Amino acid sequence: TFNAAGIGNPHCVIVLPEISADLARQYGPHIEVHKNFPNRINVQFLKVLDRRNVQIEIWERGAGYTLASGSSSSASAAVAHKLGLIDAHVTVHMPGGTIGIEISPDFSVKMTGPTTRVATGELHAELFGIKV
C-alpha cells in the first residue's frame, strides 16, 4: 500500500512499522521506476513515532538514497496527517537532521528548521549566454 502526494514534485509515501536505510536502498530504486510512475517518483518510507514525530528514509528520483529533503518531509507529514496518524505540527526525523512541519487545514505546508551552508562557488557568465 502506498500513498501518492504532489508538492510540486511527485511522492510515493509508504507507511511501515519499521524502516531503515537498507530498506530504502533495496526497494527505492524499483519503486522509483515502477510502471505506475511513468515520470519516476520520489519514495519515502515513513514510521510514525508518535502524534508529533515521524521518521523517514528517502529514495529521491534521479539522485538515489538521500539523507534529508524538504519536499519529502512535507509530503510525508501531509500524508500521515491526512491518514489521521499525526497532529498538524510534527517533527520529521531523517538521517541528515530534523525539520518542523506545520500543516494547515488546506494542506499548505510550512517548514521550520536550521540551514547549513554546504558549498560556495562562482558561476561563469557564459552559463547565462553572456560573452566575456
Side-chain angles (χ1 to χ4, degrees), residues 30-39:
H30 302 290
I31 297 168
E32 174 190 357
V33 299
H34 190 276
K35 66 181 180 176
N36 288 343
F37 311 118
N39 296 318

Side-chain angles (χ1 to χ4, degrees), residues 82 87 96:
K82 181 79 171 179
D87 297 334

Side-chain angles (χ1 to χ4, degrees), residues 43 78 105:
V43 185

Side-chain angles (χ1 to χ4, degrees), residues 18-64:
E18 294 299 327
I19 62 171
S20 68
D22 289 340
L23 180 77
R25 287 185 174 107
Q26 181 177 357
Y27 293 104
H30 302 290
I31 297 168
E32 174 190 357
V33 299
H34 190 276
K35 66 181 180 176
N36 288 343
F37 311 118
N39 296 318
R40 298 183 305 158
I41 199 158
N42 297 297
V43 185
Q44 294 79 43
F45 299 90
L46 178 136
K47 177 181 179 180
V48 176
L49 303 174
D50 58 42
R51 299 284 309 170
R52 297 190 53 98
N53 293 277
V54 298
Q55 177 185 0
I56 62 172
E57 292 287 348
I58 306 161
W59 182 268
E60 193 169 296
R61 68 178 179 165

Side-chain angles (χ1 to χ4, degrees), residues 108-119:
S108 59
V109 173
K110 177 181 175 184
M111 292 186 287
T112 307
T115 60
T116 304
R117 183 186 308 231
V118 295

